[in-house]
Amino acid sequence: MTRIDDKFAALNAKGQKAFVTYVMAGDPNYETSLEIVKGLPAAGVDIIELGLPFTDPMADGGAIQLAAQRALGVGMTLEKTLQLAADFRKTDETTPIVLMGYYNPIYSRGVPKFLEEAKAAGIDGLIVVDLPPEEDSELCIPANKAGMNFIRLATPTTDDKRLPKVLQNTSGFLYYVSVNGTTGAAEANTDDVGPEVARIKSQTDIPVIVGFGINTPEKAEAVAKVSDGSVVGSAIVAKIGDGESVDDVLAFVKTLADGCHLG
């Protein structure tokens, strides 16, 4: 059982859906980023996705691409991202952290070394968007053996033939991408999302969380009603990019969390 598993068990016991947020580590700088991350649980966040800055975030839209550039511009690295997680853990031992990013920095670090450091920093799960199930031996299986969840993405184009392969070795939760395209590119449509989530849940017992295209409390609530929870990233990252204060960012997050928890 990981912190992610424990969190879903606790939410299920309360009949509540999960609210998940994505923020880029080190955006706009280390200190402000850490302050935001530390404030997320009190704002209602159940699981934190911590973005690993990368030069070529191919699955991400403009808001997150710019966030990665800002973080890299102030010297953010994989090592510093893990340090940020470790600093968060000094005051919070229970909120799950999922490290989300791309394989290149992990590969460059070396998988055994990375997993040892990530575990020590308090990382509970990984989302590595450019590692398909055919490459499970690279990172997924070693991560599972190290006690971390490996979370896979499914999309509207993941048909019944492909779905079992996607679910293979996936744990913690499945991240359903509600729209074709990059993050922040379009809004989620619950009329489309609901049947897809039901189709996936007929094939697995793990929670199905929906992200991409969720940017208001109403949308977070609507998506949570037809899934196990909502993920918001670009809408939060955009406010950080606009230079809004930590308090204002967290107040916005709370409105989203409140909406999701109504779902």
Side-chain angles (χ1 to χ4, degrees):
M1 294 285 285
T2 65
R3 290 187 186 94
I4 297 171
D5 300 322
D6 289 342
K7 175 60 70 174
F8 278 108
L11 290 168
N12 288 338
K14 295 188 291 185
Q16 197 171 66
K17 303 301 178 69
F19 181 57
V20 184
T21 56
Y22 172 97
V23 292
M24 180 67 69
D27 177 35
N29 55 62
Y30 189 95
E31 293 76 16
T32 304
S33 180
L34 178 60
E35 190 177 353
I36 290 169
V37 173
K38 282 184 172 183
L40 292 175
V45 174
D46 298 303
I47 299 172
I48 298 168
E49 288 180 5
L50 188 62
L52 174 59
F54 182 52
T55 53
D56 187 23
M58 61 187 178
D60 294 302
I64 292 178
Q65 288 183 25
L66 289 170
Q69 290 175 15
R70 290 191 297 268
L72 292 168
V74 296
M76 205 63 184
T77 61
L78 172 57
E79 186 175 4
K80 289 182 179 178
T81 299
L82 295 179
Q83 183 60 53
L84 192 147
D87 287 344
F88 172 84
R89 283 280 173 245
K90 292 175 182 176
T91 55
D92 189 316
E93 271 295 320
T94 58
T95 303
I97 301 177
V98 175
L99 188 68
M100 185 170 184
Y102 299 83
Y103 186 45
N104 186 280
I106 296 170
Y107 177 80
S108 298
R109 192 75 173 172
V111 168
K113 183 178 182 181
F114 163 75
L115 290 175
E116 181 181 352
E117 292 174 341
K119 189 71 176 176
I123 300 296
D124 304 292
L126 304 173
I127 300 176
V128 183
V129 299
D130 54 348
L131 271 185
E134 287 76 11
E135 305 296 337
D136 272 1
S137 61
E138 282 282 325
L139 181 62
C140 172
I141 292 172
N144 287 341
K145 288 180 178 177
M148 278 183 270
N149 294 121
F150 198 88
I151 296 147
R152 194 85 65 192
L153 276 66
T155 74
T157 60
T158 306
D159 59 19
D160 287 337
K161 182 178 180 181
R162 179 64 175 168
L163 183 58
K165 192 74 174 176
V166 170
L167 292 171
Q168 168 187 295
N169 298 321
T170 298
S171 62
F173 60 90
L174 182 80
Y175 188 135
Y176 179 69
V177 177
S178 65
V179 295
N180 289 318
T182 57
T183 55
E187 291 199 6
N189 185 329
T190 52
D191 290 340
D192 296 331
V193 169
E196 286 297 293
V197 171
R199 178 174 69 90
I200 295 168
K201 288 182 72 66
S202 72
Q203 303 295 318
T204 183
D205 292 330
I206 67 171
V208 179
I209 307 300
V210 177
F212 285 47
I214 302 169
N215 49 24
T216 66
E218 294 76 18
K219 189 69 73 173
E221 178 185 357
V223 167
K225 285 184 184 298
V226 298
S227 68
D228 295 305
S230 302
V231 185
V232 180
S234 294
I236 299 167
V237 169
K239 288 189 175 292
I240 296 171
D242 287 341
E244 294 198 14
S245 70
V246 172
D247 287 345
D248 285 347
V249 170
L250 294 175
F252 174 63
V253 170
K254 187 176 188 309
T255 67
L256 298 165
D258 291 345
C260 176
H261 290 146
L262 290 172

